[in-house]
Amino acid sequence: MRSDLGQYYTHQNISKLLMSNILMKNPKKILELGIGDGALLREAKLKWRDSKIIGGDIDPKNIKILKKEFPNVDLFLINGLSSRLNHRLKIKLGSIDVGVCNPPYLVVEKSDEIKKILNSSRLGDLSDYRIVTSDLVFLAQNLLLIRENGELGIILPDGLLTSHQFSMFRKRIIENYSIKGIIELPDKIFKKTEAKTHILVLKKCRPKNKTVTIHKANHKGEIEDTINVDIVDLPHRMDYSYHKWRLNDFKKGISLESVKAEIFRGKFSKKELSNGDYKYIHTTDLKKDLKYQVFKPNKRVARRFRCANKGDIIIPRVGKRCLGRVMVIEDGSILISDCLYVIRVPQEYREALVRTLTSEYGQNWIKANSHGVCSRVISKIDLLNLEIQPLTL
Ligand SMILES: C[S@@+](CC[C@H](N)C(=O)[O-])C[C@H]1O[C@@H](n2cnc3c(N)ncnc32)[C@H](O)[C@@H]1O
């Protein structure tokens, strides 16, 4: 087995698990890119006896051996990273019913060819990725070759599902495809590598559901636990371990103080700010509906004054009708008036805090905990006691 070609082959239990998650009854054409020693091919053949199977690999040895075992399968010597892949496989783009894949996990040089593959599969642009990996490109190729409403089961490395540098990838997947399930695989399922992996099952159609089921599998390929995760929480991470931890951690609610939230107000009044030269936000910029706002950062201002930054949650500190409104800084930074609070919490609590503040519970909490006769104020000490509410299963 050649590690330079990412030749780590799938265990039979895991191959079976992957196949069992493809729901299409009688696919006509099945594709496998990177067939290796035939671990997935063998299971696909057992599940869909009458389907036409097309496979390819860059290693001629693999093709030669598998041609003997599967004389009826169309096997090709291919480069899965080529933008002319469909010509080599003698198929049209968008003509495959089901794709199954355990791609190689290798770093790939950025090129115009890779850019074209990523763009046309709606997985974004080269600039969205600090590094490009062969698993990402194989996924993109599958998405191009599969027809509308076709299905794909692919084994992906942990990084694509969990690393910050691939958050744009996760965003693109969520926006453009329907995730049918994610299965976290146990450690040490491949010989000679400890790679942590997950099965991602996709349908090539617009996303429909607001939640996604995420499972944990054991070495026998059995599902041990399943959770439902809101789709808005998936760009951050897509793995079972993280979301399970998050659900457990929030079972009882957790105060802003105990998550070590930083809370501060703006230094200047609206009047002072409006006489100055810098852009700022005030209570009037917070609208009734939750807003994710992007600001152009101003380095000079950020050096001199404490600003609200990317990821910060802004609420009014004082006001009447504006209390209860929420803004999230999606990107950039901005000066705030002294009528606003910035709440800065560790990333894993952000979404839950936003949901808490905008929920009935949060709105009632603000009504109950603000004080003052005409204009009402929320004190920082009270705010530190606000409990971030559990995310429900
Ligand atoms: C992780 S192995 C998986 C093999 C098999 N699908 C399995 O599940 O056991 C990846 C396979 O992709 C093949 N491969 C690596 N680079 C490739 C490329 N650029 N084009 C096509 N196949 C490639 C390797 O030879 C290897 O067989």
Side-chain angles (χ1 to χ4, degrees):
M1 286 202 300
R2 289 178 54 181
S3 57
D4 61 324
L5 291 180
Q7 291 184 335
Y8 301 104
Y9 297 149
T10 312
H11 193 280
Q12 191 184 11
N13 293 338
I14 304 301
S15 302
K16 277 193 198 307
L17 174 65
L18 188 149
M19 298 306 150
S20 68
N21 276 274
I22 305 284
L23 301 180
M24 197 183 292
K25 283 273 158 18
N26 296 307
K28 285 197 188 91
K29 284 188 196 165
I30 295 163
L31 172 72
E32 191 194 348
L33 298 179
I35 46 172
D37 70 350
L40 292 180
L41 195 63
R42 224 160 271 126
E43 291 306 318
K45 233 12 219 139
L46 287 175
K47 179 163 174 154
W48 300 292
R49 288 173 198 282
D50 301 325
S51 309
K52 179 183 171 73
I53 303 189
I54 302 153
D57 203 286
I58 202 164
D59 188 343
K61 264 198 220 146
N62 287 345
I63 303 289
K64 198 172 161 200
I65 295 169
L66 289 178
K67 268 192 173 164
K68 282 193 191 130
E69 187 180 341
F70 301 105
N72 297 328
V73 171
D74 291 352
L75 293 174
F76 298 92
L77 190 62
I78 53 145
N79 180 1
L81 306 174
S82 159
S83 59
R84 291 182 49 78
L85 179 62
N86 67 310
H87 298 285
R88 287 288 300 159
L89 292 167
K90 299 192 169 58
I91 52 176
K92 285 193 181 135
L93 293 177
S95 65
I96 294 293
D97 299 296
V98 165
V100 293
C101 190
N102 176 13
Y105 305 160
L106 302 166
V107 175
V108 167
E109 208 172 304
K110 290 185 179 184
S111 65
D112 285 346
E113 208 168 3
I114 300 291
K115 181 184 168 79
K116 191 173 152 196
I117 296 168
L118 292 181
N119 279 346
S120 41
S121 60
R122 288 175 285 174
L123 292 186
D125 196 62
L126 278 184
S127 56
D128 292 332
Y129 298 95
R130 196 168 63 77
I131 55 162
V132 176
T133 49
S134 52
D135 35 275
L136 173 68
V137 181
F138 271 52
L139 170 58
Q141 296 279 35
N142 271 287
L143 292 169
L144 291 173
L145 294 165
I146 288 169
R147 67 165 166 84
E148 282 301 307
N149 292 313
E151 290 175 55
L152 170 66
I154 184 164
I155 304 178
L156 294 174
D158 195 59
L160 271 192
L161 278 77
T162 63
S163 154
H164 182 65
Q165 63 170 307
F166 289 113
S167 59
M168 193 49 94
F169 156 77
R170 297 188 286 275
K171 205 160 171 254
R172 303 275 184 217
I173 285 282
I174 290 157
E175 279 166 4
N176 296 308
Y177 298 97
S178 176
I179 303 178
K180 292 308 198 188
I182 299 168
I183 307 166
E184 183 168 313
L185 298 176
D187 294 338
K188 299 189 186 138
I189 51 158
F190 300 105
K191 280 182 205 143
K192 294 190 191 161
T193 174
E194 304 227 330
K196 176 93 191 136
T197 53
H198 310 256
I199 298 177
L200 177 65
V201 184
L202 294 179
K203 191 165 180 181
K204 190 171 168 177
C205 62
R206 302 291 307 161
K208 289 189 188 98
N209 300 333
K210 289 217 156 54
T211 60
V212 167
T213 47
I214 306 189
H215 316 271
K216 177 191 183 200
N218 62 21
H219 280 93
K220 292 183 197 157
E222 299 160 341
I223 298 296
E224 276 189 338
D225 191 25
T226 297
I227 53 176
N228 286 316
V229 176
D230 201 301
I231 208 151
V232 299
D233 296 326
L234 292 182
H236 179 52
R237 282 175 72 140
M238 279 187 170
D239 58 322
Y240 167 88
S241 293
Y242 170 77
H243 286 289
K244 183 70 181 176
W245 166 81
R246 220 164 79 124
L247 291 166
N248 281 344
D249 201 43
F250 288 149
K251 260 187 189 143
K252 289 193 266 336
I254 186 163
S255 74
L256 285 180
E257 185 165 24
S258 34
V259 304
K260 299 195 168 44
E262 245 183 275
I263 300 174
F264 63 92
R265 58 193 261 191
K267 192 173 173 194
F268 303 106
S269 68
K270 160 139 175 45
K271 200 169 169 203
E272 287 168 317
L273 288 168
S274 57
N275 288 334
D277 293 334
Y278 304 126
K279 286 210 168 129
Y280 65 92
I281 51 169
H282 179 59
T283 50
T284 41
D285 295 297
L286 272 60
K287 303 297 171 206
K288 266 193 189 142
D289 293 327
L290 166 68
K291 231 176 156 190
Y292 285 77
Q293 192 84 40
V294 176
F295 295 101
K296 210 171 155 198
N298 182 331
K299 278 192 192 155
R300 241 179 70 212
V301 174
R303 263 200 301 274
R304 291 186 62 193
F305 309 111
R306 205 169 182 198
C307 290
N309 297 330
K310 180 177 177 176
D312 287 345
I313 296 160
I314 315 293
I315 62 165
R317 179 182 69 82
V318 56
K320 201 172 176 192
R321 276 178 296 274
C322 63
L323 283 194
R325 295 183 181 182
V326 182
M327 179 193 279
V328 181
I329 311 289
E330 195 171 12
D331 209 357
S333 68
I334 186 83
L335 265 179
I336 57 161
S337 81
D338 63 354
C339 293
L340 295 175
Y341 274 134
V342 166
I343 312 178
R344 194 169 284 169
V345 288
Q347 195 176 7
E348 58 267 35
Y349 298 107
R350 257 179 227 156
E351 197 56 46
L353 176 57
V354 171
R355 275 202 242 163
T356 300
L357 287 167
T358 50
S359 68
E360 202 181 330
Y361 166 87
Q363 296 290 306
N364 287 338
W365 187 95
I366 288 165
K367 273 190 204 124
N369 286 275
S370 54
H371 44 84
V373 184
C374 189
S375 192
R376 297 180 67 79
V377 184
I378 305 172
S379 81
K380 184 171 158 181
I381 293 172
D382 283 340
L383 196 51
L384 282 165
N385 287 326
L386 168 70
E387 289 204 339
I388 305 173
Q389 289 306 291
L391 295 161
T392 44
L393 276 168

